[in-house]
Amino acid sequence: MQRIDHVLPWNCPGTERRLSVFRFGNGPCKAYIQAALHADEMPGMRVAVELKRRLRELEAQGRLTGVIELVPVANPIGLGQLFQATQQGRFEFASGKNFNRDFFALTEAIAPALDGCLGADGPANVRLIRAAMQAALDVLPAPTSELQALQRLLLKHACDADVVLDLHCDFEAVVHLYTLPQQWTQLRSLAARLQAGAVLVTEDGGGSSFDESCSLPWLRLGLQFPAATIPLACLAATVELGGMADTGKKQAAASAESILAFLAEQGLIAGDW
Ligand SMILES: [Zn+2]
């Protein structure tokens, strides 16, 4: 396991926040999993504890066949927001913005440079597009807020992944997922393993949420360059792990095992579940 710590800019003097990414395994495929982008959503963080423990075991057993990046606390800014003894993790105090909106629009940033470069070779196009995404994020001017810096870091780690899972929860709910209609078939197994009560699909929910900022560029580039072979190379979903109070160990361990089983199906872990 490799730990990568990013210091966020724009802290108050004398304070410092960090975003920690835990990277496991090696191989051609990559999965990215983050929890609690709306900081006070505990079920995802609880599942991330189980995932981290299990991924360390699987890595020691040599069973990881791809790279898995885990961000158990995706929103250290929101986690520090307490108002009158109540956690406030959905909107940033400084700006009033929802932490899961307005992620950087990759499609518009990379499309001009890709014009004339994409052909019939799907895997080659995927490599080109991912490199263009990383380059576009690298050349952005310095972030103008702590929130913008955080969102860019999360996107930078996720945008070149084959699988992206953004773990949230609702107030009181069954497990449910959000994804693109085109990716529902691939996500069926995860939904079934998590015993999801519903899967909500939309091609563009609006607002540039995290999962869509990772998956939609592939769809949009495909429309923009119809002559090129552009697969939907990033399978992304928002996973609502039930309600705020669903933090029991048994349920968290079962959810983690469901996610690991899904990653195994996607070619990132060897062995059967
Ligand atoms: Zn949420």
Side-chain angles (χ1 to χ4, degrees):
M1 184 188 81
Q2 182 190 358
R3 176 178 177 151
I4 305 158
D5 282 330
H6 300 282
V7 176
L8 298 180
W10 294 103
N11 282 305
C12 291
T15 72
E16 189 176 274
R17 288 197 182 95
R18 288 164 190 260
L19 179 75
S20 297
V21 180
F22 299 91
R23 181 182 285 164
F24 305 85
N26 267 305
C29 297
K30 177 179 172 183
Y32 173 90
I33 303 169
Q34 70 176 26
L37 182 54
H38 292 130
D40 53 350
E41 298 176 345
M42 297 296 168
M45 287 198 266
R46 185 66 189 83
V47 169
V49 169
E50 297 296 330
L51 279 174
K52 190 176 168 197
R53 183 178 62 77
R54 288 285 288 125
L55 285 167
R56 292 182 84 145
E57 284 176 6
L58 292 163
E59 189 174 52
Q61 294 163 6
R63 287 175 62 188
L64 300 185
T65 51
V67 174
I68 300 168
E69 287 189 348
L70 178 67
V71 181
V73 179
N75 184 0
I77 303 171
L79 203 58
Q81 292 187 168
L82 282 145
F83 180 68
Q84 294 181 345
T86 306
Q87 187 83 43
Q88 306 278 340
R90 191 167 184 82
F91 301 95
E92 193 208 20
F93 278 176
S95 63
K97 286 185 176 174
N98 187 325
F99 284 104
N100 193 20
R101 295 290 183 277
D102 300 324
F103 276 85
F104 182 69
L106 284 165
T107 313
E108 292 78 359
I110 64 174
L114 291 169
D115 200 5
C117 301
L118 303 170
D121 186 341
N125 291 340
V126 170
R127 287 193 294 275
L128 265 177
I129 292 168
R130 284 181 176 158
M133 287 174 168
Q134 290 291 343
L137 289 167
D138 284 342
V139 300
L140 286 175
T144 55
S145 70
E146 194 179 23
L147 172 60
Q148 192 179 59
L150 174 70
Q151 288 186 320
R152 285 186 193 171
L153 279 169
L154 297 174
L155 187 58
K156 188 161 169 55
H157 275 278
C159 71
D160 59 0
D162 302 276
V163 178
V164 170
L165 299 178
D166 190 13
L167 308 181
H168 289 245
C169 71
D170 215 311
F171 291 105
E172 276 187 60
V174 292
V175 173
H176 58 288
L177 280 68
Y178 295 88
T179 191
L180 301 182
Q182 293 86 345
Q183 298 188 321
W184 154 235
T185 319
Q186 280 174 280
L187 277 167
R188 276 181 96 122
S189 152
L190 178 65
R193 288 180 185 277
L194 288 168
Q195 299 182 26
V199 176
L200 297 101
V201 296
T202 178
E203 205 164 285
D204 186 353
S208 198
S209 63
F210 181 73
D211 66 329
E212 289 190 353
S213 73
C214 296
S215 58
L216 262 185
W218 299 93
L219 196 63
R220 290 182 172 152
L221 290 169
L223 293 171
Q224 201 156 338
F225 302 107
T229 303
I230 301 177
L232 297 181
C234 182
L235 175 60
T238 291
V239 180
E240 304 275 352
L241 289 165
M244 299 284 267
D246 293 328
T247 55
K249 178 174 173 58
K250 197 176 162 193
Q251 187 175 353
S255 296
E257 232 36 63
S258 299
I259 290 168
L260 293 171
F262 177 69
L263 295 182
E265 287 171 6
Q266 299 295 315
L268 287 133
I269 309 175
D272 294 322
W273 266 260

